[in-house]
Amino acid sequence: MELTVLCASFVLFLVLGVPVAFAIGLSCLATYAVEGLPLATAIQMMVSGMNVFSFLAIPFFIFSGELMLHGGIADKIMDFARSLVGHWKGGLGLANVMASTLFGGVSGSPVADTSAMGGVMIPIMKREGYSADYAVNVTTHASLTGALMPTSHNMIIYAFAAQAASGVIDGHTIKGVSIGDLMFAGLVPVFWIMVCMLVAAYWQAARNGFPKRADGRSLIERFPGWPAVLRRFVAALPGLAVVGVILGCVMGGVTTATEAAAIAVAYSLALTTLVYRTMSREKLVKALGKASRTTGVILLLIGVSNMLRWQMAYLEIPDTIEAALLHATRQPWLMLLYINIIQIVLGIFLDMAAHILITTPLFLPLAIQMGVGPVQFGMMLLLNCALGLVHPPVGTVQFVGCAIGEISIGQATKTAWPYYLAIWVAINLVTYVAVFSTWLPSLITGHPVF
C-alpha cells in the first residue's frame, strides 16, 4: 500500500507539471502520512540531507562556472578551437565539439556550456552554411562532457549519494567514494566522448556537404597558420587553467574539494576582472543571482531526495529491485546493460541531480556485486544522466540549444541519432572497460581505484 502511494503520487505530480523537487517531497509526505509516521521525521531527514560540509563545494563550483560563462572565456576557447580545426570539412562543427568540451571543463555544467558556446557558435554556423539542427545537435551533445569534468558539481552530489556504498572487489574493501578519484576518473572518458563526437560531427557534415553556400558550393575556411593557433591557445590558456588549478589542489593533498572549489572561484574572479577585464558589475550580479538560484534548487533536491532515500530503505525498495534484477540474470555484462537501459529511460523524466540521488542507492550496491566499483559506476551514471539532458520532456540542454538555434525540439531530434549513438558508444566503453575510468586515478594515487 505504502509503495503504491509513493509511486502513484510521484507520477501524478510529474504528470500535473509539478517541479521534480516538489513532486518528490509531496509524494514522500503523502507516504509518511499513510504509514502514520510523524512528519517531523521527514523534515529531519530533509535538513540532515542538506547539512553536509562537503556540499559547500556545490555553490562554489556553480559560481565559478557562472563567472567563466559571463566573463567572456567562451570566446577565447572558441577562437582557439576554430583556428585549429576550422579549415577541415565540417570544420566549424569540429571546432564546436572541441570548444564545448574545453569549456565544459571550465564551467562544469552542460547547461552553462550550451548557453555560452551555443550563443557564440550556433549563429555563426548557421551564417556560414550549416543547418540549424546540425549546429544545435553538435553543441548540445558535446556540452554533456561538462558533467564529467573536475569542475562538475554533479560529482559532489554523486559522492554524497554513494557514501554508504560498501563491498569487496578483487580483495579490496570498498567504502564510499573519493571526490578526488572522481575528478581524475572523468578525464579519460571525456577525451573518448570528444573523439566519438568528432567522428559523428565529421560524418554528418561530410554526408550533407557542410559547409555550403545557398547555391550549394562548398565553403571551407583557410588555415590561419600555426603562429595564429599558438597565439589563440595562449589567449585561451588562462581560462582552461582552472581545471589544472582544481586538480593540482586536490592532487597536492593540501585542500579538500570544497577548498579547491573556493580557490577556483577566487581564480575565476581574478581572471575575469584583472586579466581579461571582461567582468562588469552587472555581469557579476547576474552570475551571483544565477548561482544562488541554481544552488537553491540543487540543495532542495538533495533534501527531499534524502527523505526519499530514507523512505525507500524503510520500504526495502532497493532490496526488491536487486532481487528482481538478480532473478532476471546473473551475467555481469547483461546486468550492467539492464542498468544502463533503465538509467537512460529514467533520464528522460528526471532532472540530473534528482536522477543521481534517487538511483545511486538503488543500483550501486548491485553494481559492486557485479565487480564494478563506485568510481567506474559514477562515470556510467553521470553519462547516462547527462544523456537525459538532451531528451525531451526534461531535456534542459536541448531546450536551451533549440531556443538559441530558433528551431523546434522535434526538428533537432530527427537528426540527433548520430550523437545519441556516439554517447551510447562512450557509455559502453566506460561500462565494460574499467580502465577508462580507473586508470588515471589509480596512477595518480598510487593504489588501485575501483
Side-chain angles (χ1 to χ4, degrees):
M1 175 63 180
E2 293 86 354
L3 179 58
T4 302
V5 171
L6 179 65
C7 297
S9 59
F10 178 63
V11 172
L12 176 62
F13 287 130
L14 287 181
V15 170
L16 293 175
V18 177
V20 173
F22 292 100
I24 294 172
L26 291 173
S27 59
C28 285
L29 289 176
T31 310
Y32 273 78
V34 170
E35 293 169 336
L37 297 172
L39 296 183
T41 304
I43 304 303
Q44 183 181 17
M45 290 297 105
M46 181 175 176
V47 174
S48 65
M50 295 185 287
N51 190 23
V52 179
F53 174 78
S54 60
F55 283 165
L56 283 175
I58 294 176
F60 285 133
F61 275 135
I62 293 173
F63 186 37
S64 174
E66 290 297 329
L67 288 172
M68 291 292 190
L69 171 62
H70 296 287
I73 309 302
D75 296 339
K76 309 290 184 183
I77 294 174
M78 184 272 291
D79 288 341
F80 165 61
R82 188 172 181 178
S83 68
L84 191 62
V85 294
H87 60 286
W88 295 356
K89 182 178 292 187
L92 277 183
L94 304 182
N96 196 341
V97 171
M98 291 188 62
S100 295
T101 301
L102 293 173
F103 189 75
V106 172
S107 68
S109 166
V111 176
D113 195 350
T114 300
S115 300
M117 300 313 306
V120 175
M121 291 296 292
I122 291 175
I124 292 176
M125 291 179 68
K126 289 171 64 178
R127 185 181 70 237
E128 297 295 329
Y130 295 82
S131 67
D133 57 300
Y134 177 82
V136 168
N137 283 322
V138 167
T139 305
T140 55
H141 290 77
S143 70
L144 299 184
T145 54
L148 275 70
M149 286 294 195
T151 50
S152 172
H153 61 270
N154 290 298
M155 286 189 177
I156 310 297
I157 297 173
Y158 170 73
F160 164 75
Q163 63 183 350
S166 61
V168 177
I169 298 178
D170 292 342
H172 296 271
T173 302
I174 304 296
K175 182 62 179 177
V177 62
S178 165
I179 295 176
D181 290 345
L182 288 173
M183 288 181 175
F184 287 106
L187 296 178
V188 175
V190 160
F191 172 78
W192 287 107
I193 293 169
M194 184 183 72
V195 170
C196 292
M197 289 299 304
L198 286 171
V199 171
Y202 180 84
W203 177 83
Q204 196 168 41
R207 183 187 181 197
N208 292 282
F210 296 143
K212 58 185 178 183
R213 301 179 185 271
D215 60 7
R217 289 188 294 127
S218 178
L219 178 65
I220 299 178
E221 295 182 358
R222 297 179 62 183
F223 180 56
W226 288 109
V229 173
L230 181 60
R231 286 194 302 270
R232 294 174 187 178
F233 172 71
V234 171
L237 187 59
L240 297 174
V242 69
V243 178
V245 169
I246 293 171
L247 292 178
C249 290
V250 174
M251 185 171 59
V254 295
T255 59
T256 65
T258 301
E259 293 163 339
I263 292 172
V265 170
Y267 177 85
S268 303
L269 194 58
L271 180 64
T272 53
T273 56
L274 302 178
V275 179
Y276 289 139
R277 298 184 179 182
T278 52
M279 182 59 67
S280 63
R281 180 180 298 179
E282 292 75 15
K283 290 179 179 179
L284 180 59
V285 170
K286 189 174 181 180
L288 280 167
K290 182 64 183 302
S292 300
R293 289 193 298 272
T294 304
T295 300
V297 170
I298 290 175
L299 288 179
L300 177 60
L301 272 169
I302 289 172
V304 296
S305 295
N306 199 53
M307 291 168 51
L308 180 60
R309 291 174 64 196
W310 187 90
Q311 188 63 252
M312 289 192 300
Y314 182 79
L315 297 176
E316 299 181 346
I317 294 175
D319 295 336
T320 303
I321 292 176
E322 180 179 324
L325 288 174
L326 288 174
H327 179 73
T329 181
R330 289 187 177 270
Q331 294 291 329
W333 72 269
L334 190 56
M335 180 69 71
L336 295 174
L337 177 62
Y338 288 160
I339 291 175
N340 278 335
I341 292 173
I342 294 171
Q343 296 280 18
I344 289 174
V345 173
L346 290 175
I348 297 175
F349 305 101
L350 292 175
D351 185 75
M352 190 164 185
H355 190 165
I356 294 169
L357 290 162
I358 292 172
T359 60
T360 298
L362 292 178
F363 297 116
L364 180 53
L366 189 58
I368 292 176
Q369 288 189 42
M370 298 295 109
V372 174
V375 170
Q376 182 185 356
F377 180 80
M379 297 302 104
M380 288 170 50
L381 177 61
L382 290 172
L383 262 177
N384 279 307
C385 293
L387 187 57
L389 296 176
V390 291
H391 276 293
V394 178
T396 314
V397 168
Q398 196 75 342
F399 278 117
V400 172
C402 288
I404 296 172
E406 299 178 336
I407 61 173
S408 67
I409 292 289
Q411 185 178 347
T413 303
K414 288 179 182 177
T415 57
W417 67 266
Y419 310 100
Y420 293 161
L421 180 60
I423 300 297
W424 175 246
V425 169
I427 290 173
N428 281 281
L429 285 175
V430 170
T431 300
Y432 296 111
V433 186
V435 293
F436 279 101
S437 305
T438 60
W439 170 75
L440 187 58
S442 298
L443 180 67
I444 297 295
T445 61
H447 60 78
V449 171
F450 298 96

